[in-house]
Amino acid sequence: MLRIVLCALLLAAPAAVAQQNYPQKPIRYVVPFPAGGIADVFARIIGGRLSQAWGQPVVVENRAGAGGNIGAEIVAKARPTAIRS
């Protein structure tokens, strides 16, 4: 039983180390509503706090239209980021 636990810990360690440097580039925060609205204000407040916590700039982009579908489509088609060590 002890061997199984030790093996599990050893296998989990590289994954924890690999995630320590994330994020390594600016974060894009898409808001599917127009600028100046309450959603924009909250996004900018949250973006500022995330920027301080992560040490990376958080860019808030307003992509309004089609009831939020334009912003959702941009996020859905965004290039995925891989976490690499």
Side-chain angles (χ1 to χ4, degrees), residues 1-69:
M1 181 69 171
L2 182 59
R3 285 184 183 180
I4 294 172
V5 172
L6 289 175
C7 286
L9 289 174
L10 288 174
L11 290 174
V17 172
Q19 294 178 3
Q20 288 179 352
N21 294 331
Y22 183 82
Q24 295 180 353
K25 60 182 182 176
I27 304 299
R28 188 172 156 205
Y29 192 136
V30 177
V31 179
F33 301 105
I38 193 71
D40 179 52
V41 172
F42 281 130
R44 293 185 187 280
I45 291 170
I46 292 169
R49 291 186 180 173
L50 288 175
S51 180
Q52 290 174 352
W54 289 338
Q56 291 291 333
V58 175
V59 179
V60 177
E61 291 185 27
N62 296 91
R63 298 296 181 114
N69 286 334

